[in-house]
Amino acid sequence: MQMMSRNVLLNMELEEDDDEDGDIGDVPDSRRPFLAPHSLLPSDLVLENFDQTIVCSTFGPLENQQDFRTPEFEEFNGKPDSLYFTDGQRRIDFVLVYEDETKKETNKKGTNEKQRRKRQAYESNLICHGLQLEATRSVSDDKLVFVKVHAPWEVLCTYAEIMHIKLPLKPNDLKTRSAFDTLNWFTKVLRVNESVIKPEQEFFTAPFEKSRMNDFYIQDRDSFFNPATRSRIVYFILSRVKYQVMNNVNKFGINRLLSSGIYKAAFPLHDCKFNCESEDPSCPSERYLLYREWAHPRSIYKKQPLDLIRKYYGEKIGIYFAWLGYYTQMLLLAAVVGVACFLYGYFSQDNCSWSKEVCDPDIGGQILMCPQCDKLCPFWRLNVTCESSKKLCIFDSFGTLVFAVFMGVWVTLFLEFWKRRQAELEYEWDTVELQQEEQARPEYEAQCNHVEEERIPFTACGKCIRVTLCASAVFFWILLIIASVIGIIVYRLSVFIVFSATLPTNPNGTDPIQKYLTPQMATSITASIISFIIIMILNTIYERVAIMITNFELPRTQTDYENSLTMKMFLFQFVNYYSSCFYIAFFKGKFVGYPGDPVYWLGKYRNEECDPGGCLLELTTQLTIIMGGKAIWNNIQEVLLPWIMNLIGRYQRVSGSENITPRWEQDYHLQPMGKLGLFYEYLEMIIQFGFVTLFVASFPLAPLLALVNNILEIRVDAWKLTTQYRRMVPEKARDIGAWQPIMQGIAILAVVTNAMIIAFTSDMIPRLVYYWSFSIPPYGDHSSYTMDGYINNTLSVFNITDFKNADKENPYIGLGDYTLCRYRDFRNPPGHPQEYKHNIYYWHVIAAKLAFIIVMEHIIYSVKFFISYAIPDVSKITKSKIKREKYLTQKLLHESHLKDLTKNMGLIAERMGEVVDNSVRPKLE
């Protein structure tokens, strides 16, 4: 089809615009346009023309516009697996879906007519830019029309050069035998069967140039551009073609047309059904292969077919699944060590002497503890917390310290080895020299002005204002999360009073509620559940806010857009998910004063205290609820939601089971993936990575839970992509983007948090100080090092008549015939010259905690930096392969250029010889 030499733009200046999606896609005529018809231009002028202003014709009423080029309507040919136009020759590269305006119910006067004119102008301009269109009505709903888009060879070549797409030069024969090939027999059961999914042929590649087309490995024009590349090129055009001018402002792009409802969907096609092969023998049925060998539950133990994932969905999705698979493999080691540390604590809990003292009726049963709230809370015996102290022995053991140190090293090994694996994928997937200067986003191009010969959408002052407003909005939402955390704290303080007044306090071994559900435990569980619910609600709201903020910020490229959104979302999620854990670990029970002078929140609520064993068990409970609840919630969303939506859609169709449905209509009824693609999948895994690393000292089973979740997550994501969602537009990517530095930041912070959890949240340091210093003279009465008497030594004494707050009544009067009670702190007893001041034990413990943090941090950081230095980001083998392939590629291009030059010089010499002969021959005659 020959391309027209001009665009068609509707002049809507005198009509009311019905778009309601903001300014995205608007561009004044004085600003930068996007695409110009290029059929009559040489390839070396395409980029120059791409940046120039187009002078477009405008037209009056629709009935007078004879320049519209509309797609031809064809009937469905009855072939449900066909990926071609009705002629069976032109491949369908993209599908646009709209609802016929003549069959719509008119909601507003003239609205349907306006939408039809915009759509026709857009489709006419697509034809102007060389695309070929064919329209077919739906077989199930006569209102729906499917516009199939085909990019002919000339268009593909032109835009492959514009987009710097790397294409094959000649087959690559550099693959060498791996040193691990001898172990293939051992891993054969885990690998994908190569007879089912055949390895891809490797090529030397170079950015495509039309002027050097003969240098490229073109055996068949129909297969030179694979379906993924064809879809990328077509989407590039669809995103930039204009369709309307209004008040001297151009409107453009398929995204705006989708958001305004003119089109209902736009997507590339799956190549077949997911559960059976295509009837077309020429179709490779890659979707079926992916479902069978990757997404099906029976393949859960197999490695992922990453090369086929990358070929079908593009490098961006391929790198996500490569990273997730590698992260899951590394979690296996962390899970094994974590389970070993958990079992060590479990089997050694019977030797936990301080727990025995708590449970002993002659020790813990005789220790009267002070009320933990005013008025309603009674005095209680220490042995009420017997069961929680036994569970605390499992997690607060020497194995916890070993595991915390191990995880500090593990996270560094994971990040460093992932960089090496990522470099290998860059080489294998040919993204080493991926064009760094990405094409600007259409929304950015729409706002560009000429400023100092550089196309930018706003001045430096304007950019400063935008950044300030965006940062302020993010800061406001973070403050909102902090406010919700304070609300949870107030809930804890108030509900603890209720539980303390209602739950029984006398130990009874036959009552399971009384045995396990202490006021502290009940408060912790209910607060954790409420915290989880608030987290999910704020998360849902902020997602939309973050997208609005990033759109206002207007990043230049899609990578910049995703990185900016990533940082905003992660900062919010970091505070949202981790704030309650940080509160329990580092603030709860640290600023409570003592019974004679307690600290009050807002002058009303008495600050809550930890159990006598510390807040570590409560932190473990919080992590378990949030990690488990988040995993269950996400799986429900990822599995049930799209499945139910597709199920409802199938029941709502008008067509009966006797109708044969074409491929494009089957895909239309699948769920759209969303504008951000796998962004939320990354976010989910990075949040999990934070739980696994930041607070692992309190919960050594966290890597095991993450491992089980990730094994399922890989297959759930695969099942979702292959069966429930439309095919995404393939995109290139070298790495995982901004998530890499985020993980590095989490890894550095994890060392500090785990050291502080062991020092300030667990009871390990006070126990060590007692064992080595205060169990023997001069501070202790034992003749040898022992843990006997630890509980009595760490509980201070309070006289209930010594309440010092004159503004409040003594809350302990009338609660019983008691004069003395105990509380958790290191203070001098009543009657001491410095009564209720911190004693010598307290200062020994503080010094030991600070020393422990400094020593542990320095040791782990030293090991981390040594590992980072010792392990290069790119292996020597990969570096040599990259250099050799680059050299051979340049050599191929150079030799080809010399051949062309020699051939041209020979032709010139022959012609010059003919000219000389013709001029000399008459003289001789």
Side-chain angles (χ1 to χ4, degrees):
M1 181 182 294
Q2 186 177 359
M3 289 178 285
M4 294 180 63
S5 59
R6 62 173 178 171
N7 279 355
V8 179
L9 293 183
L10 287 179
N11 189 341
M12 307 284 286
E13 294 185 1
L14 301 178
E15 301 182 17
E16 180 183 359
D17 186 28
D18 59 323
D19 290 342
E20 298 177 353
D21 52 323
D23 296 330
I24 296 178
D26 298 345
V27 50
D29 282 338
S30 60
R31 295 189 176 187
R32 180 184 181 181
F34 308 124
L35 295 176
H38 53 269
S39 59
L40 304 179
L41 299 176
S43 61
D44 57 341
L45 296 180
V46 170
L47 281 175
E48 179 182 357
N49 185 74
F50 186 78
D51 291 338
Q52 291 175 354
T53 302
I54 308 170
V55 180
C56 302
S57 301
T58 58
F59 299 86
L62 180 64
E63 57 271 14
N64 298 327
Q65 295 172 8
Q66 303 298 326
D67 287 315
F68 276 152
R69 297 289 300 273
T70 58
E72 300 175 358
F73 270 81
E74 299 287 348
E75 295 293 329
F76 172 50
N77 58 11
K79 298 179 180 179
D81 290 335
S82 176
L83 302 176
Y84 295 87
F85 281 16
T86 306
D87 58 16
Q89 301 296 321
R90 292 172 290 175
R91 183 182 181 90
I92 301 173
D93 299 318
F94 227 87
V95 175
L96 308 178
V97 187
Y98 69 89
E99 189 173 353
D100 192 345
E101 293 84 2
T102 60
K103 299 185 178 182
K104 279 185 180 181
E105 294 181 4
T106 304
N107 298 322
K108 183 179 177 182
K109 183 179 179 180
T111 298
N112 291 345
E113 182 67 15
K114 293 177 186 177
Q115 290 190 345
R116 184 166 71 97
R117 293 172 63 185
K118 293 176 184 178
R119 177 180 53 76
Q120 288 181 333
Y122 181 72
E123 292 174 358
S124 181
N125 287 335
L126 291 180
I127 297 174
C128 283
H129 288 87
L131 298 180
Q132 298 175 5
L133 309 182
E134 180 181 272
T136 302
R137 289 198 178 274
S138 169
V139 298
S140 61
D141 185 356
D142 196 47
K143 295 180 182 179
L144 290 180
V145 177
F146 294 86
V147 179
K148 295 162 284 183
V149 182
H150 169 76
W153 173 258
E154 180 69 20
V155 173
L156 293 173
C157 292
T158 299
Y159 285 98
E161 184 174 358
I162 291 175
M163 297 170 66
H164 306 283
I165 295 177
K166 298 178 74 173
L167 293 169
L169 289 171
K170 65 172 293 187
N172 184 347
D173 56 355
L174 294 181
K175 290 294 181 181
T176 57
R177 183 179 176 86
S178 172
F180 298 98
D181 284 353
T182 55
L183 300 177
N184 279 351
W185 62 270
F186 181 74
T187 60
K188 184 177 180 180
V189 68
L190 302 177
R191 289 183 285 112
V192 176
N193 190 349
E194 292 186 357
S195 63
V196 178
I197 299 180
K198 297 179 180 180
E200 292 293 320
Q201 185 178 8
E202 300 292 332
F203 290 92
F204 294 107
T205 61
F208 185 78
E209 297 179 24
K210 289 178 66 176
S211 61
R212 310 185 69 169
M213 191 178 297
N214 293 332
D215 297 340
F216 290 86
Y217 191 73
I218 306 176
Q219 290 188 324
D220 180 10
R221 286 191 172 188
D222 293 334
S223 60
F224 181 64
F225 294 96
N226 62 36
T229 304
R230 298 176 69 99
S231 298
R232 282 179 57 208
I233 292 174
V234 172
Y235 182 73
F236 181 87
I237 299 173
L238 293 176
S239 299
R240 289 161 171 80
V241 167
K242 297 180 288 186
Y243 61 87
Q244 178 190 0
V245 57
M246 178 180 175
N247 298 327
N248 200 32
V249 172
N250 290 331
K251 297 179 182 292
F252 66 91
I254 188 62
N255 292 329
R256 183 176 179 89
L257 293 171
L258 286 170
S259 60
S260 60
I262 296 176
Y263 285 103
K264 297 180 70 68
F267 52 89
L269 289 178
H270 284 295
D271 63 353
C272 66
K273 294 181 178 180
F274 71 86
N275 54 0
C276 62
E277 294 186 77
S278 173
E279 296 178 358
D280 185 353
S282 63
C283 177
S285 299
E286 292 173 345
R287 183 190 186 193
Y288 167 73
L289 293 177
L290 285 172
Y291 174 74
R292 175 184 167 185
E293 300 295 330
W294 179 43
H296 198 278
R298 69 186 176 193
S299 302
I300 194 170
Y301 64 92
K302 290 186 178 181
K303 292 184 178 180
Q304 302 181 83
L306 293 176
D307 288 335
L308 184 58
I309 297 170
R310 167 248 181 171
K311 178 184 177 183
Y312 191 76
Y313 287 109
E315 286 79 3
K316 196 165 193 176
I317 291 182
I319 199 72
Y320 163 75
F321 282 103
W323 171 80
L324 182 56
Y326 196 81
Y327 171 45
T328 304
Q329 292 176 16
M330 290 294 292
L331 276 175
L332 180 61
L333 175 62
V336 170
V337 178
V339 170
C341 293
F342 173 80
L343 293 177
Y344 169 82
Y346 180 80
F347 289 113
S348 63
Q349 63 177 327
D350 294 335
N351 300 323
C352 188
S353 58
W354 61 270
S355 178
K356 292 180 180 179
E357 291 185 354
V358 171
C359 299
D360 191 340
D362 297 329
I363 301 177
Q366 299 300 318
I367 297 178
L368 183 71
M369 300 298 293
C370 298
Q372 293 188 315
C373 67
D374 295 343
K375 299 294 184 183
L376 298 178
C377 296
F379 292 92
W380 52 286
R381 300 291 176 178
L382 181 61
N383 62 347
V384 171
T385 61
C386 176
E387 292 301 323
S388 62
S389 68
K390 289 180 180 179
K391 288 184 285 187
L392 187 60
C393 288
I394 300 175
F395 299 101
D396 194 2
S397 65
F398 179 73
T400 301
L401 173 60
V402 174
F403 189 56
V405 175
F406 166 79
M407 287 301 293
V409 177
W410 173 87
V411 69
T412 304
L413 291 173
F414 162 61
L415 293 176
E416 293 302 319
F417 282 121
W418 164 246
K419 291 178 184 177
R420 291 168 67 90
R421 174 60 178 153
Q422 190 170 255
E424 293 174 3
L425 290 175
E426 288 180 17
Y427 168 73
E428 294 173 4
W429 292 353
D430 199 24
T431 58
V432 175
E433 296 180 352
L434 185 65
Q435 184 71 24
Q436 296 301 309
E437 289 296 327
E438 292 184 66
Q439 297 291 339
R441 297 168 61 242
E443 295 83 359
Y444 180 91
E445 290 178 330
Q447 304 297 328
C448 283
N449 279 323
H450 290 274
V451 179
E452 297 180 359
E453 300 183 356
E454 182 181 2
R455 303 186 187 280
I456 58 176
F458 35 68
T459 62
C461 181
K463 183 176 181 179
C464 182
I465 294 174
R466 285 175 180 260
V467 171
T468 302
L469 292 176
C470 293
S472 300
V474 174
F475 183 67
F476 167 78
W477 276 89
I478 291 177
L479 290 179
L480 186 62
I481 302 173
I482 296 175
S484 69
V485 173
I486 295 175
I488 293 294
I489 295 173
V490 173
Y491 165 82
R492 287 175 178 270
L493 299 177
S494 57
V495 81
F496 178 75
I497 299 175
V498 178
F499 285 137
S500 298
T502 56
L503 292 178
T505 56
N506 295 322
N508 183 354
T510 61
D511 189 347
I513 295 179
Q514 180 179 338
K515 188 176 180 180
Y516 295 103
L517 195 61
T518 64
Q520 293 89 345
M521 183 61 67
T523 302
S524 175
I525 293 175
T526 56
S528 298
I529 294 173
I530 293 175
S531 176
F532 170 73
I533 294 173
I534 292 176
I535 283 173
M536 301 312 297
I537 293 174
L538 290 177
N539 181 33
T540 303
I541 298 174
Y542 181 74
E543 286 177 4
R544 299 182 180 182
V545 174
I547 293 173
M548 291 173 58
I549 295 172
T550 309
N551 287 338
F552 176 74
E553 188 179 319
L554 201 63
R556 180 180 178 273
T557 65
Q558 184 64 23
T559 299
D560 294 338
Y561 181 90
E562 292 178 0
N563 290 344
S564 178
L565 182 61
T566 296
M567 294 305 299
K568 292 181 180 65
M569 288 295 295
F570 180 75
L571 284 174
F572 176 84
Q573 299 284 8
F574 184 90
V575 180
N576 198 9
Y577 279 103
Y578 302 142
S579 55
S580 58
C581 295
F582 273 98
Y583 166 73
I584 295 173
F586 306 124
F587 295 99
K588 183 181 177 182
K590 305 299 188 295
F591 311 100
V592 296
Y594 69 98
D597 189 17
V599 176
Y600 289 89
W601 274 75
L602 307 176
K604 180 179 180 182
Y605 298 103
R606 180 170 168 177
N607 206 348
E608 59 181 336
E609 302 179 23
C610 295
D611 280 335
C615 288
L616 190 67
L617 186 61
E618 186 174 345
L619 178 60
T620 303
T621 304
Q622 180 83 355
L623 286 171
T624 305
I625 291 176
I626 292 181
M627 283 192 68
K630 186 173 180 295
I632 294 173
W633 176 265
N634 287 331
N635 285 327
I636 289 175
Q637 279 189 317
E638 294 179 9
V639 177
L640 290 183
L641 188 60
W643 181 76
I644 291 174
M645 294 297 293
N646 287 332
L647 187 65
I648 294 173
R650 284 195 292 269
Y651 278 111
Q652 289 179 341
R653 295 179 201 171
V654 179
S655 66
S657 59
E658 68 278 1
N659 287 345
I660 299 176
T661 307
R663 171 82 270 135
W664 49 85
E665 193 161 348
Q666 296 175 37
D667 285 4
Y668 169 71
H669 290 294
L670 297 176
Q671 295 300 303
M673 188 61 189
K675 296 180 179 179
L676 299 179
L678 291 174
F679 172 82
Y680 297 111
E681 309 297 335
Y682 270 119
L683 184 61
E684 176 188 349
M685 289 296 102
I686 295 300
I687 294 296
Q688 181 206 88
F689 178 77
F691 282 122
V692 168
T693 54
L694 290 173
F695 305 102
V696 75
S698 66
F699 190 37
L701 293 181
L704 177 63
L705 294 182
L707 174 65
V708 174
N709 176 78
N710 288 6
I711 292 174
L712 297 176
E713 180 75 20
I714 292 174
R715 305 304 164 174
V716 167
D717 287 345
W719 173 84
K720 180 176 63 177
L721 281 177
T722 55
T723 67
Q724 303 300 310
Y725 282 88
R726 299 170 189 159
R727 189 174 182 177
M728 296 175 61
V729 179
E731 296 182 63
K732 286 277 188 179
R734 290 186 59 183
D735 48 38
I736 61 175
W739 301 110
Q740 183 81 24
I742 286 176
M743 286 194 297
Q744 291 173 342
I746 291 176
I748 294 174
L749 181 60
V751 177
V752 180
T753 56
N754 284 301
M756 294 182 67
I757 286 173
I758 294 175
F760 292 104
T761 309
S762 78
D763 218 24
M764 183 177 297
I765 301 301
R767 291 200 301 269
L768 291 175
V769 171
Y770 176 81
Y771 181 84
W772 291 107
S773 299
F774 283 80
S775 62
I776 58 173
Y779 301 110
D781 300 328
H782 301 280
S783 59
S784 61
Y785 300 109
T786 180
M787 287 299 296
D788 295 340
Y790 169 74
I791 291 297
N792 184 67
N793 192 268
T794 55
L795 295 177
S796 301
V797 180
F798 173 68
N799 189 326
I800 63 173
T801 60
D802 292 340
F803 188 74
K804 295 184 177 181
N805 194 332
D807 297 332
K808 294 180 179 290
E809 296 182 10
N810 191 325
Y812 311 116
I813 302 298
L815 296 179
D817 189 16
Y818 306 110
T819 57
L820 298 176
C821 62
R822 309 293 293 273
Y823 61 98
R824 178 181 170 82
D825 206 345
F826 306 109
R827 294 179 182 267
N828 294 314
H832 191 278
Q834 294 183 337
E835 64 175 1
Y836 303 125
K837 299 294 184 181
H838 288 118
N839 57 23
I840 188 66
Y841 191 1
Y842 171 83
W843 299 111
H844 275 72
V845 169
I846 289 295
K849 288 180 176 181
L850 295 177
F852 171 81
I853 292 175
I854 294 173
V855 172
M856 180 177 175
E857 286 183 359
H858 280 67
I859 290 176
I860 297 180
Y861 280 140
S862 299
V863 174
K864 285 170 65 70
F865 291 142
F866 174 77
I867 292 174
S868 300
Y869 176 78
I871 301 177
D873 293 347
V874 184
S875 66
K876 292 182 179 179
I877 296 176
T878 304
K879 283 183 179 179
S880 62
K881 288 181 179 179
I882 293 173
K883 290 180 180 179
R884 187 180 180 192
E885 182 171 331
K886 184 177 181 180
Y887 165 75
L888 292 177
T889 301
Q890 292 176 344
K891 184 179 178 181
L892 284 173
L893 293 174
H894 182 65
E895 289 177 352
S896 177
H897 179 67
L898 286 179
K899 288 180 182 179
D900 293 340
L901 185 62
T902 303
K903 182 179 179 180
N904 292 334
M905 291 297 293
L907 293 174
I908 293 174
E910 290 179 3
R911 292 180 181 178
M912 290 181 66
E914 292 176 358
V915 171
V916 171
D917 289 342
N918 293 334
S919 61
V920 172
R921 188 176 296 115
K923 295 180 180 180
L924 294 176
E925 293 176 353

